Every structure is written in structure tokens, then in C-alpha cells.
Amino acid sequence: MSPVTYTFLGPEGTFTEAALLQVPGAADATRIPCTNVNVALDRVRAGEADAAMVPIENSVEGGVTATLDAIATGRELRIIREALVPITFVLVARPGVELSDIKRISTHGHAWAQCRLWVDEHLPNADYVPGSSTAASAMGLLEDDAPYEAAICAPLVAAEQPGLNVLAEDIGDNPEAVTRFILVSRPGVLPDRTGADKTSVVVPLPEDHPGALMEILDQFASRGVNLSRIESRPTGQYLGHYFFSIDADGHATDSRVADALAGLHRISPATRFLGSYARADKQPAVVAPHTSDAAFASAHAWVDSIIKGS
């Protein structure tokens, strides 16, 4: 049996790698850090990796647009697992650098947004230098020509790099911040239904007319399917043309979810199914009696009896 290979948004020591290490066996698998989400996913599409771990949502900043866009286009992929990682940040610098020396700070955009209050209070004059990831910004400090004096990163990165000093800990504005990550593979057999599942889809708006979004939402509401996330993203084709990225409670094998998916396809044939997978928080869906599998089966049997005249 061939060894399993994973890609992830790198470099090593990112929150994404921490999420990947939650996957059974990932610690002993081949793990390939990638410079961005598209590279990580494209290596899966090309068959160079079995799956990729990428961030998709943050409890403070919302959806990760790079991931939402990357999985909505190109060759289809499937989400097979999700992971939740509590997010904490530290401020690091090279030995000898003090807070008073810092004029520029580098980190990923989401991390910067989550530490703005701390920065505004302690380093109000510091400029932001965008980084491809928190770990990349921290590692960049080890280069002689680093264009910044400090970086915001995960505590794990600082602990593994003796060339970095921690100047401040727990600098995040929200101590309850959590980032959600998804493990993405090529299409195949769906993960088994657990009773605490999530289904993700991308639904293009077929045409812009009054009630178009309501038609999409009604496919879920009329079948008792709760939505845990819905975000609009521009398709890039022209101004005002959007698709909707949606997470729904339940599994594609649940009758209510399957019926909703069929309804979506009728009104928007370009709907893309992204996967059904176990929720990381293990919270079961709340299902009303009239939207249970048994209720759907009974209703279909009733209609069949009418058609057959029995």
C-alpha cells in the first residue's frame, strides 16, 4: 500500500499543519507544505497528493476567500473532513529587538485583523507588511534582509525556532477565536453518515431577478435543512455575478438533504457538490418529525399508491 501524502498551507508550523495533525495517521504520513491554497489543491487534482488541508473559515474574520474561490472552480474536489483549531498569537522578533524598535510587523491578513486592538494599543505607529502565512512571516525574520522587525505567528513556530524571541504572548483580540479547516481530496465514495454531519455546496445564481436568492434558500427551508454558513462570492465573470458558498446541516444520504440538493440542481444546474462529512464539533442536526427519513419514505409511498391506484 502506497504511503499517504498530504499537502497543506505552509510552511511548517502553521495552524494548518496543526489541523492536519488531527487526522489519524497524518503524523507519520508525507506532509508537503505549499505556498498558497491553490498550489495545495492543484497537487491533489494532479494526483501528486492524496488530500490537502486548507483553512476555510475563521470565527472572527469569516470565510477564507482564497479557499472558497479555489474549491468553487477548476476540477471538482471533495471535502472529506473538517478540523477546528483554537487560534492564539505571539509577537516575535530577532534577539536584541525590543518593542520600541518595531516599525513594521508582518503576518497573514487574517492574523493581523485578529490582533489589531493589541497592536493599536502597544505599537500604534507600526506598519503592516502582508505575509503569505503567519509562519512564513516569522521565518522571514531569520533572513538578514527582512523588511520588517517583528512578526505575528503561532506559539508553535516560536517554540521551534531558537533564533526568535517572544516579545508578547496571547495578543489576539478574541481569546475564543477558532479557525475551521477542511481536508480535501479527489471525488470518491462519500464518508459514512454519522448523524452529526455537514454538506457543502456552491450554487451559482442562474440569473439575477427578484427572489432569486430566496428560491435557493427555499430549497433548504421547505425541507427543514438548517444552514450553518452562507457567503456570496463574485464569479469574476462580470460585476454583479455571484455564487453562493453554503454549508448545510446533514448528509447527502439524508432524505431531506438529498431532496434539497435535487431542488438546487433544478433551479441552478451548475450547482457544485463539495461533500458531506462529519462535523468537527459532533453536534447532531435537529430534525423535525415531518422532515425525517421515515416521513419522506412514507410520503413517497403514499404518492406511489395514488399513481398505482391502490
Side-chain angles (χ1 to χ4, degrees), residues 210-247:
L213 175 57
M214 183 61 69
E215 291 175 359
I216 293 174
L217 298 179
D218 190 54
Q219 304 308 310
F220 298 102
S222 62
R223 296 165 177 87
V225 179
N226 183 59
L227 303 185
S228 57
R229 183 185 62 85
I230 177 169
E231 297 184 56
S232 63
R233 292 292 303 150
T235 63
Q237 296 180 15
Y238 53 84
L239 188 65
H241 195 240
Y242 289 85
F243 68 80
F244 293 93
S245 178
I246 298 172
D247 290 336

Side-chain angles (χ1 to χ4, degrees), residues 234-290:
T235 63
Q237 296 180 15
Y238 53 84
L239 188 65
H241 195 240
Y242 289 85
F243 68 80
F244 293 93
S245 178
I246 298 172
D247 290 336
D249 291 349
H251 194 279
T253 58
D254 294 330
S255 295
R256 70 188 189 284
V257 177
D259 214 43
L261 292 175
L264 287 175
H265 191 269
R266 287 197 307 272
I267 65 173
S268 183
T271 293
R272 173 173 291 203
F273 175 74
L274 295 180
S276 288
Y277 47 95
R279 292 176 61 111
D281 60 11
K282 297 180 169 47
Q283 292 295 318
V286 177
V287 183
H290 70 281

Side-chain angles (χ1 to χ4, degrees), residues 85-128:
V85 178
I87 304 300
T88 59
F89 298 102
V90 296
L91 182 73
V92 296
R94 296 178 67 170
V97 175
E98 304 293 338
L99 280 178
S100 58
D101 301 322
I102 297 173
K103 297 180 178 62
R104 295 170 295 272
I105 303 171
S106 181
T107 191
H108 188 271
H110 273 232
W112 179 252
Q114 293 179 67
C115 298
R116 285 300 304 274
L117 294 180
W118 187 94
V119 173
D120 287 346
E121 179 181 353
H122 296 87
L123 296 166
N125 298 317
D127 292 326
Y128 168 52

Side-chain angles (χ1 to χ4, degrees), residues 6 20-29 81:
Y6 295 106
L20 178 57
L21 290 173
Q22 293 184 23
V23 177
D28 299 319
R81 185 186 181 97

